[in-house]
Amino acid sequence: MASKVVDLRSDTVTKPSEAMRAAMAAADVDDDVLGADPTAHRFEAEMAAVMGKEAALFVPSGTMGNLISVLVHCDVRGSEAILGDNSHIHVYENGGISTIGGVHPRTVKNNPDGTMDIDKIVAAIRHPDLHYPTTRLICLENTHGNTGGKCLSVEYTDKVGEIAKSHGLKLHIDGARIFNASVALGVPVDRLVKAADSVSVCLSKGLGAPVGSVIVGSKAFIDKARILRKTLGGGMRQVGVLCAAAHVAVRDTMGKLADDHRKAKALAVGLKKIEQITVDPASVETNMVFFEVMDPRISPDKLCQVLEQHNVLAMPANSKSIRFVVHYQISDADVRYALACVQKAIKELLEGSTELGHSINGATKSSYGH
């Protein structure tokens, strides 16, 4: 058994680096709710510049970042937001835009590449009628998690932005892994989100910070977002401690994302060589690998339980498939070890030579919204 755990459940599982811990300890802080934390100010200004927007706001989570963004744009209850039927906002954020914001979701089918058909987006825009909600927002997700970390192209994003603008709507991008998309597409991140009125960026996924997200947009947007952050309980005091770690994550991890993508591709290529597994390495664009076990005797839950016994953690994507997510703390040796363990686990399950117990690391939870 490996001396360490190879954790492929998500890129949210990374531990803070020594550089992050040192930055947190040394951070110059003050009360950010009073607008006085210098480290938070510097980091927010840095992220606004990187993303090509006027201003930025640190928030505790991506879910809060998306919720705040939707509520700023849909500031009248009964507004409608157009978004993918398989998007994170719609599936994994507890229905917050509806339960808290009174915003009606108008879903459009997500294609296997994470896009929504342009003509279907246009068709979903409501014409003024007293029977209907008022469309105010379109939401995209880049990369698109539920379709395997697919990247939305700058051309597609620009086209959706043109549609939004021509209809008097706003465009929000759930950019939880937008830097993965930027690296994979070879497009600067500010250009990739140029058409968006707001973007949420997760700092604790591919970038590896311990906590937090930022939302970016115009100064007027961020002024409203700051009020909503306080309303939702997201105002934090000496938050510079967290912003310091996030600054290190952006500085140090950005250059490692391409290597994460390479390792994810290597995982997919290795999995394809295993007889009982179906996977398409060509579909792996960023740091996620989705694969199916074709033998009906082996469920994703069972395979994940046996993998955990070998110190490899993963989670089912659904009743048929499993998701591996690579991050900067996964090495090439970890990839090789994980592949060997998949082969071993399948063999043990087919031979009935292993006992299945209760997972202690969340490795068999099928709700994998993170």
Side-chain angles (χ1 to χ4, degrees):
M1 186 175 286
S3 60
K4 63 168 282 188
V5 171
V6 177
D7 198 338
L8 298 168
R9 289 173 297 170
S10 179
D11 46 6
T12 60
V13 301
T14 55
K15 307 299 189 292
S17 66
E18 289 303 315
M20 291 180 199
R21 295 176 188 272
M24 293 170 77
D28 182 13
V29 298
D30 205 325
D31 192 326
D32 188 54
V33 175
L34 300 180
D37 192 296
T39 302
H41 285 179
R42 284 194 298 271
F43 180 67
E44 289 168 345
E46 171 192 349
M47 290 304 296
V50 167
M51 301 299 294
K53 303 299 182 186
E54 289 180 358
L57 184 70
F58 184 91
V59 294
S61 70
T63 294
M64 184 180 284
N66 284 330
L67 177 59
I68 288 172
S69 298
V70 172
L71 297 191
V72 170
H73 295 310
C74 299
D75 56 354
V76 177
R77 290 185 68 84
S79 298
E80 189 165 73
I82 296 170
L83 71 172
D85 68 336
N86 208 13
S87 65
H88 197 280
I89 292 176
H90 185 60
V91 179
Y92 295 119
E93 298 184 7
N94 207 234
I97 65 171
S98 299
T99 57
I100 295 173
V103 177
H104 187 262
R106 172 86 150 166
T107 59
V108 174
K109 182 177 176 58
N110 279 120
N111 297 316
D113 64 357
T115 64
M116 299 175 282
D117 288 344
I118 295 294
D119 60 341
K120 291 180 180 177
I121 294 175
V122 173
I125 299 172
R126 305 281 192 179
H127 299 293
D129 188 302
L130 61 85
H131 297 89
Y132 301 144
T134 300
T135 308
R136 285 192 167 86
L137 177 66
I138 301 171
C139 298
L140 299 177
E141 182 180 334
N142 198 10
T143 64
H144 195 277
N146 266 3
T147 57
K150 296 295 193 301
C151 303
L152 305 189
S153 70
V154 67
E155 294 81 9
Y156 174 81
T157 305
D158 284 351
K159 182 62 177 175
V160 176
E162 291 168 9
I163 290 167
K165 189 173 182 179
S166 67
H167 288 83
L169 310 179
K170 299 298 184 181
L171 173 61
H172 172 68
I173 295 177
D174 175 359
R177 296 180 175 92
I178 193 68
F179 287 102
N180 291 87
S182 172
V183 168
L185 294 169
V187 177
V189 70
D190 59 336
R191 176 64 189 89
L192 192 55
V193 302
K194 185 177 181 181
D197 296 285
S198 60
V199 187
S200 61
V201 182
C202 190
L203 303 162
S204 60
K205 289 185 176 174
L207 295 176
V211 180
S213 289
V214 292
I215 49 178
V216 298
S218 67
K219 185 180 183 301
F221 168 85
I222 293 298
D223 286 344
K224 293 177 182 178
R226 191 179 303 278
I227 296 170
L228 280 167
R229 183 184 69 175
K230 179 62 176 173
T231 303
L232 295 171
M236 295 181 287
R237 301 299 178 176
Q238 286 69 35
V239 75
V241 171
L242 299 179
C243 291
H247 169 78
V248 174
V250 173
R251 182 193 71 196
D252 292 355
T253 312
M254 197 93 69
K256 300 175 183 177
L257 294 178
D259 208 38
D260 293 345
H261 301 171
R262 177 187 63 79
K263 290 168 188 169
K265 183 77 77 171
L267 267 173
V269 170
L271 288 167
K272 189 174 177 63
K273 297 176 181 177
I274 300 174
E275 180 183 354
Q276 296 85 357
I277 286 178
T278 295
V279 63
D280 179 14
S283 71
V284 177
E285 297 182 5
T286 53
N287 65 327
M288 293 185 181
V289 182
F290 283 61
F291 64 94
E292 293 187 13
V293 182
M294 303 310 293
D295 193 304
R297 294 170 290 177
I298 303 175
S299 70
D301 280 349
K302 288 180 180 179
L303 182 56
C304 287
Q305 286 185 56
V306 178
L307 285 173
E308 184 175 350
Q309 294 174 10
H310 294 285
N311 277 4
V312 175
L313 303 185
M315 293 199 302
N318 51 50
S319 62
K320 295 182 178 179
S321 65
I322 294 171
R323 181 184 84 156
F324 282 171
V325 185
V326 176
H327 47 82
Y328 81 100
Q329 291 177 346
I330 295 295
S331 67
D332 287 304
D334 293 335
V335 169
R336 292 190 294 270
Y337 180 77
L339 289 170
C341 286
V342 171
Q343 289 183 296
K344 185 182 297 184
I346 289 174
K347 184 174 184 290
E348 290 175 3
L349 283 166
L350 291 177
E351 294 176 348
S353 60
T354 186
E355 288 189 15
L356 300 180
H358 178 67
S359 168
I360 61 173
N361 288 300
T364 60
K365 291 182 179 178
S366 58
S367 178
Y368 69 100
H370 54 289

